[in-house]
Structure formats: structure tokens, C-alpha cells
Amino acid sequence: GIMKIEHVALYVKDLEGARNFFEKYFGAKSGALYHNRTSGFKSYFLTFDGGARLEIMTRPEIQDVEKNPLSAGYTHVAFSVGSKASVDALTEKLKADGYKVSSGPRTTGDGYYESCIVGIEGNMIEITE
């Protein structure tokens, strides 16, 4: 069969805030809330145009540590928005709403037109054409 990444998961402190963020800015469609009452674990599966899925999850004991962009591990999730104008527009919207733009919009050395923003709870998000 075909091999593909089925989904990526992100732990957050504010589950509803994260869901609202991805719905508002990235057109996510949320599935139903899953809640394990024993552990307190809660999650939503978010689906994006094109079929990519992101699981956002929380539980009571989650620690929100400061994110270092140079730490080993997953560093960002990238969203393709279709055009340079769309990269610019979404970057400006996020900036106007108080999110920090850490780079761009710019054309990178390898030819991508992109910006990086510090999204919910310090998680890096790349916006590319």
C-alpha cells in the first residue's frame, strides 16, 4: 500500500484556543472532541484542505516550557496557501492579531517564498506559497 504521514500531533495547554487558532487562520475542520475521563486526556483531529491532519491534544499535567527554535525535535508545521499574495495577507493578518513574525515574508535560498510566525503557545508555523 501507499506510505504517507497519517497525522502529526501537538500537545497544548489550551485545547479550545488551539482549535480556534487553526480554524480561524488555516481553515481547519475539527472532528468531535475525544475525552478520556480517567486520564483527563482530550483531543481533536483537525483536517485541512488537501487531507493533511493535525491532532491537538491536552491533559491536565501538560507543562508549557519555553520553546527554543534551535532545539532538536520537530520545529514547525508548514502550510501552503497557494500564492505569494496569500502568504503576505495571512502573515499580515496574524501580525495584526498580535502573533510575532520571526522571519519573512521572503524568498529563501532554496527558492521558497515563506514567512515564519510564532503561533499558539510558542509553536512555529511556516506559511509558504
Side-chain angles (χ1 to χ4, degrees):
I2 187 166
M3 181 83 70
K4 66 177 184 176
I5 293 176
E6 208 288 326
H7 68 273
V8 173
L10 178 67
Y11 259 134
V12 295
K13 293 282 287 181
D14 178 2
L15 187 65
E16 295 300 329
R19 182 175 75 132
N20 292 338
F21 174 85
F22 286 109
E23 287 176 338
K24 177 176 181 179
Y25 297 107
F26 298 97
K29 305 280 190 296
S30 177
L33 175 69
Y34 169 74
H35 184 189
N36 181 318
R37 295 186 189 284
T38 306
S39 67
F41 175 89
K42 295 180 182 178
S43 73
Y44 288 108
F45 272 101
L46 305 179
T47 303
F48 300 88
D49 292 346
R53 299 204 313 159
L54 176 67
E55 184 181 13
I56 52 173
M57 317 176 300
T58 197
R59 53 191 297 158
E61 63 272 30
I62 290 300
Q63 303 297 308
D64 192 13
V65 297
E66 186 178 349
K67 276 91 176 169
N68 178 342
L70 297 178
S71 292
Y74 294 109
T75 57
H76 65 255
V77 61
F79 289 89
S80 171
V81 294
S83 68
K84 289 182 180 180
S86 295
V87 173
D88 292 345
L90 183 53
T91 303
E92 278 307 309
K93 184 176 180 183
L94 284 153
K95 185 177 180 180
D97 288 352
Y99 293 95
K100 180 176 182 260
V101 179
S102 61
S103 69
R106 65 194 176 93
T107 301
T108 60
D110 54 357
Y112 287 93
Y113 188 77
E114 66 182 40
S115 67
C116 275
I117 62 120
V118 182
I120 41 109
E121 300 184 21
N123 293 291
M124 295 292 290
I125 296 177
E126 185 179 290
I127 303 165
T128 184
E129 61 175 317

